């Protein structure tokens, strides 16, 4: 399909990113690409995940291949929603694909992220929370495209869902 609008939504873990993705996934005009760099991240880091082998087997696990797929992969609907986790982006050699997406950054208060993350992960490092990577991604987009990417606060998404989604759709120039 031609003239596809590809939207990259970037967040760290525990930012309500799955809820936002599902709201777009419920639309008939959207195709979802959920954490496409996860297999590459698992392969590169050796991170032990209960479904590690299955994820690597069933997804692209090369950063360049995933980057290419994010901008050239077949899409059968008018829009593609790409849910990206910033901490998966450990190989930054292939970030230029981001410049062809309409990018949105999803943030959440650090104490809420940390409290939620600690419940599921006892051992973690600061880099696992994605804060630094989110800032670096923001700077990359701002510096390369000369404009500020849209930022959504998860509190607004949770407490003012309809208004936040309407503003998001308006910014993306898509129907609500």
């Amino acid at each position: 399909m031609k003239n596809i609008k590809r939207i990259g939504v970037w967040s760290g873990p525990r930012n309500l990113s799955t809820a936002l993705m599902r709201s777009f996934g419920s639309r008939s005009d959207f195709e979802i690409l959920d954490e496409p760099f996860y297999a590459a991240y698992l392969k590169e880091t050796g991170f032990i995940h209960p479904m590690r082998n299955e994820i690597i087997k069933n997804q692209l696990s090369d950063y360049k291949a995933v980057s290419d797929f994010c901008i050239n992969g077949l899409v059968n609907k008018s829009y593609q929603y790409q849910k990206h986790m910033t901490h998966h982006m450990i190989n930054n050699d292939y970030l230029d694909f981001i410049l062809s997406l309409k990018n949105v950054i999803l943030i959440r208060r650090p104490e809420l992220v940390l409290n939620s993350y600690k419940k599921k992960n006892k051992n973690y490092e600061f880099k696992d929370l994605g804060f630094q990577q989110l800032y670096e991604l923001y700077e990359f987009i701002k510096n390369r495209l000369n404009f500020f990417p849209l930022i959504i606060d998860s509190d607004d998404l949770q407490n003012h869902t309809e208004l936040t989604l309407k503003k998001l759709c308006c910014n993306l120039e898509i129907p609500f």
Side-chain angles (χ1 to χ4, degrees):
M1 182 175 247
K2 293 186 180 212
N3 298 324
I4 300 160
K5 184 174 280 190
R6 296 175 194 257
I7 300 159
V9 180
W10 299 87
S11 76
R14 316 310 297 166
N15 280 353
L16 305 181
S17 58
T18 301
L20 182 58
M21 178 188 70
R22 287 190 179 145
S23 71
F24 282 90
S26 68
R27 294 176 53 147
S28 63
D29 56 346
F30 265 86
E31 194 168 295
I32 302 298
L33 187 56
D34 185 9
E35 299 185 23
F37 287 95
Y38 196 32
Y41 166 79
L42 292 173
K43 186 176 175 184
E44 182 96 7
T45 63
F47 182 76
I48 303 302
H49 179 278
M51 296 176 54
R52 179 182 196 283
N53 293 337
E54 184 178 333
I55 292 167
I56 292 172
K57 178 181 166 191
N58 292 307
Q59 293 180 5
L60 295 172
S61 59
D62 173 76
Y63 276 92
K64 182 179 181 340
V66 178
S67 297
D68 290 343
F69 184 79
C70 286
I71 56 174
N72 297 313
L74 178 65
V75 176
N76 293 313
K77 299 189 178 181
S78 300
Y79 308 105
Q80 182 183 56
Y81 182 105
Q82 299 179 13
K83 175 188 166 195
H84 293 287
M85 303 304 287
T86 56
H87 65 288
H88 292 168
M89 303 305 295
I90 58 171
N91 185 338
N92 291 335
D93 295 337
Y94 305 106
L95 284 182
D96 281 351
F97 84 94
I98 294 169
L99 304 175
S100 68
L101 305 176
K102 179 71 176 179
N103 292 286
V104 177
I105 294 177
L106 181 63
I107 62 170
R108 190 176 189 198
R109 288 185 294 154
E111 67 272 17
L112 296 176
V113 171
L114 187 55
N115 288 339
S116 178
Y117 195 85
K118 288 191 310 189
K119 289 177 185 174
K120 293 187 82 178
N121 303 283
K122 301 299 179 211
N123 299 318
Y124 61 90
E125 296 177 30
F126 179 74
K127 65 180 176 144
D128 298 329
L129 302 174
F131 295 123
Q132 181 67 34
Q133 300 94 320
L134 204 52
Y135 173 75
E136 290 168 0
L137 180 83
Y138 169 83
E139 287 292 313
F140 176 80
I141 294 168
K142 181 183 74 148
N143 293 332
R144 293 289 299 275
L145 296 176
N146 290 322
F147 69 85
F148 299 102
L150 178 65
I151 298 174
I152 296 177
D153 188 315
S154 295
D155 282 347
D156 292 333
L157 183 62
Q158 191 169 30
N159 298 322
H160 310 286
T161 307
E162 185 174 343
L163 177 62
T164 302
L165 290 175
K166 281 182 178 178
K167 286 181 177 181
L168 174 57
C169 289
C170 181
N171 181 275
L172 295 172
E173 300 175 332
I174 61 173
F176 174 69

